Every structure is written in C-alpha cells, then in structure tokens.
Amino acid sequence: MPLEATMMIIDNSEYMRNGDYIPSRFEAQSDAVKTIFQTKIDSNPENTVGVMTMANKGPEVLVTHSKDIGQIIKALHVTSSKIGGSIDIPTAINIAQLALKHRENKNLRQRIIVFVGSPLEGQGADEREMVKLAKRLKKNNVAVDFVAFGDGVEEETNVLKAFVDNTANSDNSHLVSVPPGTHLLSDVIISSPILSEDRGIPPEAMGDVGGASGSGGANFEFGVDPSLDPELALALRMSMEEEQARQAAEEQTRQSATDAQPQTESAVVDNDEEAMLAQALALSEHNDVDMGEEQDEDMDEEEAIARAIQMSMKQEEKEQGGQ
C-alpha cells in the first residue's frame, strides 16, 4: 500500500447548491471526501490527509496532514456555510503543494485531489498556464487527480485532460468524470484508479473505470467489479466464452450445410441429364436396329419375287419348247 500525504481541494462555489446529485452537489462531494479519507488511512496508518477549499473569498486550508476523521467532518460542516463565489484552481493547487512540502514525514509521496464541479474561470481556464503549472508539479514529484462532476464534466476533454497528461509520471495522475445519475459520487471514486493502489489493485487493471460515462459498475465488463467479486467475474467471463464458442460452432455447421446443398442439387441435375442422354442414345440405337431389320426384310421379299418371276419364265419357256 502506498505511503502518501494527500491534500483534497474541494469545490465550494455557488454551483455546489445544485441538486442534480443526491442530495446536492456539495453533500455528494462531502461523502466522497470522507470515503477518500477513510480509504487512504485504512490502506496505511502512516498516511495523512488534508482538506482545503478554493472558492468563496478565496482558497483556504481547513485541515493539514490529519489522521482524524473528526477533523475532516468538522471542516466539511464549516464549509457548508461558506458556499459561494467561483473556483480558483491554480492558486489552490499552489497552496496545496506548499502544505505538502511541509509534511512531517518526508517519506510520504505527495498527492493532490481536486474536485471540480464548476466551470473553469480565469487562469484555470487557460490551458497554457495550466500545463505550465502541471509541468512544475511533475518536476516536484506531486501527483494530481481531478474529479470532474456537475459543470466540471464539460471541462474534462480540454484543460483538465491536458493538465493530467502533463502531470502524470508512470500513470500516477488521473481524471475521473462523473456525470449526474442514480449512482453515488463516492461509489464511482472508490471504484476508480484514484483509489486503486490504496485498495491493492494496480491502476492499469482498472481499465476505463470512471471515464466519460462515470457510471461506476457499468464500466466494468458484465457490470461486475472484478476486484470486489473475482469469482463471479470469472464465472461470467467463462460463460460468455462458452456461449460464443457454441454460437460459432452452430454458425459453422449452418454454413457447411448451406454449402453442401447446392452441390447435391447440382449432382442430382447432372445425374438426371446423364440418364436422359443415355435413354435417348439407347432409343436412337434401337431405332437404327429396327430400320436395318426392316430393310433386310424388304430385300428378302424382293429377291423372292424376282426368283418367282424367273422360275415362272423358265416354266413358260419349257412349255413352249415342248410344243
């Protein structure tokens, strides 16, 4: 399990009052913050987590390097009464990096998790400035994860994606987008690459979890998280492969039968034609034989008549000679 000091930057802008997430954007974000804190602390007792805001009157650090869930809950409660204004991502990230730099245990890796539920404004919407900041964080070995929800979902394909791409070092930074739906924000995050290492799962094994659809288990094959129920996931995969093999065998058999049928019909037609030709030839030969026999009979009759005439003539000659 990773040794990390984490700073979570939460969105407390006016947009957090919207109710498109259950029960509201801010409450859904608060549940996700508590889930991340508990997962980090459970994965390694040496880990620490801090919380800060980035809207209202400006970025403000609420908790630094804590292992006490009570402090996190208190900070979230205080923030619920300070919702307003717009977010300032670059300033908040710089302050979070400074807080991580002063961590007590220097062996802890540095990570910043930013919740974005509002449209980007100011320097936060400037891709060039954000990429410059991302490269500086990468140089200082600071990993950054973004959780885009609400209006932040629209920002994921440009500025935030470019930021993560330029911060990532050995796939240590991620962007998780969670559009509104029946799923809980915390459920999607705990099944995402952001917390995969803390749960003992390599990030590459998580696939496209928490991507554009952000529907939690719906992004897993068969809708089942293999990390939660590997036996069921394996059984479903084997069942699918068996069904595919059965369908392929049926298709092959059907194709073979289809190919053989025209050949059989063709052979029958050829046999019929050969039989008809043989019959016609036999009839032709039979007629030739009959015609030959009739010609022989005609010749025999003519010879008999000629012989009879000749004999009759000889008889007459004899009678005349006797007279």
Tab-separated table of all heavy atoms in Angstrom, residues 56-92:
chain	number	residue	atom	x	y	z
A	56	ASN	N	-15.484	30.857	-2.692
A	56	ASN	CA	-15.943	31.862	-1.740
A	56	ASN	C	-14.986	33.070	-1.778
A	56	ASN	O	-14.764	33.641	-2.845
A	56	ASN	CB	-16.043	31.259	-0.340
A	56	ASN	CG	-16.926	32.089	0.575
A	56	ASN	OD1	-17.575	33.036	0.121
A	56	ASN	ND2	-16.967	31.753	1.850
A	57	LYS	N	-14.357	33.436	-0.673
A	57	LYS	CA	-13.458	34.592	-0.646
A	57	LYS	C	-12.066	34.262	-1.183
A	57	LYS	O	-11.249	35.156	-1.392
A	57	LYS	CB	-13.344	35.131	0.781
A	57	LYS	CG	-14.646	35.676	1.329
A	57	LYS	CD	-14.473	36.204	2.741
A	57	LYS	CE	-15.792	36.753	3.299
A	57	LYS	NZ	-15.641	37.270	4.672
A	58	GLY	N	-11.803	32.972	-1.378
A	58	GLY	CA	-10.500	32.543	-1.889
A	58	GLY	C	-10.107	31.208	-1.287
A	58	GLY	O	-10.738	30.731	-0.328
A	59	PRO	N	-9.065	30.560	-1.807
A	59	PRO	CA	-8.617	29.265	-1.269
A	59	PRO	C	-8.261	29.361	0.201
A	59	PRO	O	-7.634	30.339	0.648
A	59	PRO	CB	-7.377	28.942	-2.119
A	59	PRO	CG	-7.603	29.684	-3.404
A	59	PRO	CD	-8.306	30.955	-3.002
A	60	GLU	N	-8.658	28.337	0.974
A	60	GLU	CA	-8.418	28.336	2.418
A	60	GLU	C	-8.125	26.915	2.895
A	60	GLU	O	-8.866	25.980	2.583
A	60	GLU	CB	-9.648	28.872	3.156
A	60	GLU	CG	-9.508	28.890	4.660
A	60	GLU	CD	-10.782	29.339	5.355
A	60	GLU	OE1	-11.778	29.632	4.646
A	60	GLU	OE2	-10.779	29.398	6.599
A	61	VAL	N	-7.047	26.747	3.644
A	61	VAL	CA	-6.684	25.451	4.201
A	61	VAL	C	-7.482	25.233	5.471
A	61	VAL	O	-7.472	26.064	6.396
A	61	VAL	CB	-5.168	25.375	4.505
A	61	VAL	CG1	-4.827	24.036	5.157
A	61	VAL	CG2	-4.361	25.561	3.234
A	62	LEU	N	-8.180	24.096	5.547
A	62	LEU	CA	-9.010	23.766	6.701
A	62	LEU	C	-8.347	22.750	7.617
A	62	LEU	O	-8.387	22.879	8.837
A	62	LEU	CB	-10.372	23.243	6.233
A	62	LEU	CG	-11.165	24.178	5.307
A	62	LEU	CD1	-12.431	23.482	4.830
A	62	LEU	CD2	-11.500	25.494	6.000
A	63	VAL	N	-7.742	21.702	7.026
A	63	VAL	CA	-7.084	20.643	7.800
A	63	VAL	C	-5.786	20.280	7.096
A	63	VAL	O	-5.762	20.123	5.865
A	63	VAL	CB	-7.970	19.378	7.912
A	63	VAL	CG1	-7.247	18.298	8.712
A	63	VAL	CG2	-9.306	19.717	8.555
A	64	THR	N	-4.689	20.141	7.843
A	64	THR	CA	-3.416	19.732	7.239
A	64	THR	C	-2.909	18.449	7.890
A	64	THR	O	-2.838	18.350	9.118
A	64	THR	CB	-2.350	20.824	7.415
A	64	THR	OG1	-2.178	21.104	8.801
A	64	THR	CG2	-2.757	22.090	6.691
A	65	HIS	N	-2.578	17.479	7.066
A	65	HIS	CA	-1.894	16.258	7.497
A	65	HIS	C	-2.551	15.604	8.709
A	65	HIS	O	-1.924	15.431	9.761
A	65	HIS	CB	-0.418	16.545	7.807
A	65	HIS	CG	0.252	17.399	6.780
A	65	HIS	ND1	0.299	17.043	5.455
A	65	HIS	CD2	0.889	18.597	6.879
A	65	HIS	CE1	0.941	17.983	4.770
A	65	HIS	NE2	1.313	18.927	5.611
A	66	SER	N	-3.797	15.249	8.574
A	66	SER	CA	-4.538	14.672	9.699
A	66	SER	C	-4.813	13.193	9.477
A	66	SER	O	-4.880	12.713	8.341
A	66	SER	CB	-5.869	15.424	9.877
A	66	SER	OG	-6.645	14.822	10.894
A	67	LYS	N	-4.997	12.487	10.590
A	67	LYS	CA	-5.430	11.093	10.561
A	67	LYS	C	-6.758	10.923	11.304
A	67	LYS	O	-7.204	9.806	11.527
A	67	LYS	CB	-4.368	10.200	11.222
A	67	LYS	CG	-3.002	10.254	10.549
A	67	LYS	CD	-1.998	9.386	11.277
A	67	LYS	CE	-0.612	9.503	10.651
A	67	LYS	NZ	0.395	8.666	11.373
A	68	ASP	N	-7.364	12.056	11.633
A	68	ASP	CA	-8.584	12.071	12.435
A	68	ASP	C	-9.774	12.411	11.540
A	68	ASP	O	-9.878	13.536	11.014
A	68	ASP	CB	-8.448	13.093	13.566
A	68	ASP	CG	-9.656	13.092	14.496
A	68	ASP	OD1	-10.569	12.269	14.303
A	68	ASP	OD2	-9.671	13.946	15.417
A	69	ILE	N	-10.692	11.462	11.358
A	69	ILE	CA	-11.867	11.692	10.531
A	69	ILE	C	-12.743	12.794	11.118
A	69	ILE	O	-13.454	13.506	10.395
A	69	ILE	CB	-12.681	10.378	10.382
A	69	ILE	CG1	-13.853	10.573	9.413
A	69	ILE	CG2	-13.150	9.889	11.731
A	69	ILE	CD1	-13.474	10.873	8.009
A	70	GLY	N	-12.685	12.970	12.450
A	70	GLY	CA	-13.476	14.010	13.101
A	70	GLY	C	-13.118	15.398	12.595
A	70	GLY	O	-14.004	16.252	12.412
A	71	GLN	N	-11.829	15.645	12.367
A	71	GLN	CA	-11.403	16.946	11.862
A	71	GLN	C	-11.926	17.189	10.450
A	71	GLN	O	-12.292	18.317	10.102
A	71	GLN	CB	-9.874	17.032	11.882
A	71	GLN	CG	-9.262	17.044	13.265
A	71	GLN	CD	-7.753	17.237	13.229
A	71	GLN	OE1	-7.191	17.568	12.195
A	71	GLN	NE2	-7.099	17.031	14.377
A	72	ILE	N	-11.968	16.140	9.649
A	72	ILE	CA	-12.458	16.256	8.276
A	72	ILE	C	-13.956	16.579	8.285
A	72	ILE	O	-14.423	17.465	7.553
A	72	ILE	CB	-12.200	14.948	7.493
A	72	ILE	CG1	-10.708	14.605	7.501
A	72	ILE	CG2	-12.726	15.076	6.075
A	72	ILE	CD1	-9.823	15.622	6.852
A	73	ILE	N	-14.707	15.870	9.117
A	73	ILE	CA	-16.154	16.110	9.189
A	73	ILE	C	-16.441	17.531	9.667
A	73	ILE	O	-17.340	18.222	9.140
A	73	ILE	CB	-16.811	15.075	10.134
A	73	ILE	CG1	-16.689	13.669	9.523
A	73	ILE	CG2	-18.272	15.422	10.377
A	73	ILE	CD1	-17.194	12.562	10.441
A	74	LYS	N	-15.693	17.999	10.649
A	74	LYS	CA	-15.866	19.363	11.155
A	74	LYS	C	-15.572	20.398	10.062
A	74	LYS	O	-16.307	21.383	9.904
A	74	LYS	CB	-14.947	19.596	12.360
A	74	LYS	CG	-15.074	20.985	12.960
A	74	LYS	CD	-14.138	21.156	14.150
A	74	LYS	CE	-14.237	22.575	14.727
A	74	LYS	NZ	-13.313	22.768	15.879
A	75	ALA	N	-14.507	20.159	9.293
A	75	ALA	CA	-14.146	21.081	8.216
A	75	ALA	C	-15.230	21.146	7.148
A	75	ALA	O	-15.560	22.229	6.638
A	75	ALA	CB	-12.820	20.659	7.597
A	76	LEU	N	-15.806	20.006	6.820
A	76	LEU	CA	-16.883	19.972	5.824
A	76	LEU	C	-18.123	20.697	6.334
A	76	LEU	O	-18.815	21.385	5.572
A	76	LEU	CB	-17.226	18.516	5.473
A	76	LEU	CG	-16.134	17.736	4.727
A	76	LEU	CD1	-16.507	16.256	4.610
A	76	LEU	CD2	-15.909	18.323	3.331
A	77	HIS	N	-18.401	20.537	7.618
A	77	HIS	CA	-19.557	21.222	8.205
A	77	HIS	C	-19.372	22.739	8.155
A	77	HIS	O	-20.308	23.493	7.839
A	77	HIS	CB	-19.755	20.756	9.651
A	77	HIS	CG	-20.885	21.440	10.354
A	77	HIS	ND1	-22.207	21.212	10.036
A	77	HIS	CD2	-20.885	22.378	11.355
A	77	HIS	CE1	-22.986	21.949	10.802
A	77	HIS	NE2	-22.202	22.669	11.626
A	78	VAL	N	-18.177	23.202	8.465
A	78	VAL	CA	-17.882	24.637	8.416
A	78	VAL	C	-17.999	25.166	6.990
A	78	VAL	O	-18.539	26.257	6.745
A	78	VAL	CB	-16.470	24.920	8.982
A	78	VAL	CG1	-16.068	26.380	8.747
A	78	VAL	CG2	-16.420	24.600	10.471
A	79	THR	N	-17.514	24.385	6.030
A	79	THR	CA	-17.531	24.806	4.627
A	79	THR	C	-18.952	24.900	4.083
A	79	THR	O	-19.222	25.708	3.179
A	79	THR	CB	-16.714	23.818	3.761
A	79	THR	OG1	-15.401	23.703	4.297
A	79	THR	CG2	-16.609	24.297	2.324
A	80	SER	N	-19.863	24.091	4.593
A	80	SER	CA	-21.249	24.108	4.089
A	80	SER	C	-21.904	25.469	4.266
A	80	SER	O	-22.877	25.798	3.571
A	80	SER	CB	-22.076	23.034	4.799
A	80	SER	OG	-22.178	23.304	6.196
A	81	SER	N	-21.387	26.285	5.183
A	81	SER	CA	-21.920	27.634	5.405
A	81	SER	C	-21.101	28.700	4.662
A	81	SER	O	-21.358	29.897	4.812
A	81	SER	CB	-21.929	27.965	6.902
A	81	SER	OG	-20.624	27.938	7.444
A	82	LYS	N	-20.124	28.239	3.882
A	82	LYS	CA	-19.267	29.168	3.130
A	82	LYS	C	-19.313	28.858	1.636
A	82	LYS	O	-18.289	28.897	0.945
A	82	LYS	CB	-17.824	29.074	3.622
A	82	LYS	CG	-17.630	29.502	5.072
A	82	LYS	CD	-16.170	29.425	5.474
A	82	LYS	CE	-15.959	29.874	6.911
A	82	LYS	NZ	-14.513	29.807	7.303
A	83	ILE	N	-20.494	28.555	1.143
A	83	ILE	CA	-20.654	28.254	-0.278
A	83	ILE	C	-20.949	29.548	-1.030
A	83	ILE	O	-21.855	30.305	-0.678
A	83	ILE	CB	-21.796	27.246	-0.507
A	83	ILE	CG1	-21.448	25.901	0.137
A	83	ILE	CG2	-22.073	27.063	-1.987
A	83	ILE	CD1	-22.535	24.860	0.035
A	84	GLY	N	-20.169	29.795	-2.091
A	84	GLY	CA	-20.373	30.998	-2.892
A	84	GLY	C	-19.134	31.318	-3.710
A	84	GLY	O	-18.072	30.713	-3.545
A	85	GLY	N	-19.269	32.266	-4.607
A	85	GLY	CA	-18.141	32.695	-5.432
A	85	GLY	C	-17.811	31.700	-6.534
A	85	GLY	O	-18.609	30.837	-6.893
A	86	SER	N	-16.595	31.813	-7.050
A	86	SER	CA	-16.122	30.940	-8.132
A	86	SER	C	-14.785	30.330	-7.748
A	86	SER	O	-14.086	30.843	-6.859
A	86	SER	CB	-15.984	31.726	-9.438
A	86	SER	OG	-15.095	32.836	-9.269
A	87	ILE	N	-14.423	29.252	-8.418
A	87	ILE	CA	-13.218	28.499	-8.043
A	87	ILE	C	-11.957	29.134	-8.626
A	87	ILE	O	-11.993	29.778	-9.671
A	87	ILE	CB	-13.319	27.029	-8.506
A	87	ILE	CG1	-13.511	26.949	-10.036
A	87	ILE	CG2	-14.449	26.326	-7.804
A	87	ILE	CD1	-13.511	25.528	-10.577
A	88	ASP	N	-10.848	28.936	-7.936
A	88	ASP	CA	-9.530	29.401	-8.382
A	88	ASP	C	-8.571	28.207	-8.272
A	88	ASP	O	-7.883	28.032	-7.261
A	88	ASP	CB	-9.069	30.571	-7.517
A	88	ASP	CG	-7.750	31.179	-8.010
A	88	ASP	OD1	-7.163	30.625	-8.959
A	88	ASP	OD2	-7.312	32.194	-7.423
A	89	ILE	N	-8.543	27.392	-9.303
A	89	ILE	CA	-7.770	26.152	-9.259
A	89	ILE	C	-6.264	26.388	-9.156
A	89	ILE	O	-5.602	25.775	-8.299
A	89	ILE	CB	-8.107	25.272	-10.479
A	89	ILE	CG1	-9.546	24.774	-10.371
A	89	ILE	CG2	-7.155	24.075	-10.565
A	89	ILE	CD1	-9.978	23.892	-11.534
A	90	PRO	N	-5.642	27.251	-9.970
A	90	PRO	CA	-4.175	27.412	-9.886
A	90	PRO	C	-3.698	27.855	-8.510
A	90	PRO	O	-2.721	27.306	-7.974
A	90	PRO	CB	-3.882	28.477	-10.954
A	90	PRO	CG	-5.016	28.374	-11.918
A	90	PRO	CD	-6.208	28.047	-11.080
A	91	THR	N	-4.382	28.829	-7.914
A	91	THR	CA	-3.971	29.310	-6.589
A	91	THR	C	-4.128	28.213	-5.543
A	91	THR	O	-3.254	28.015	-4.677
A	91	THR	CB	-4.801	30.539	-6.187
A	91	THR	OG1	-4.651	31.569	-7.173
A	91	THR	CG2	-4.351	31.075	-4.836
A	92	ALA	N	-5.241	27.494	-5.614
A	92	ALA	CA	-5.492	26.425	-4.648
A	92	ALA	C	-4.436	25.331	-4.753
A	92	ALA	O	-3.950	24.818	-3.731
A	92	ALA	CB	-6.886	25.836	-4.876
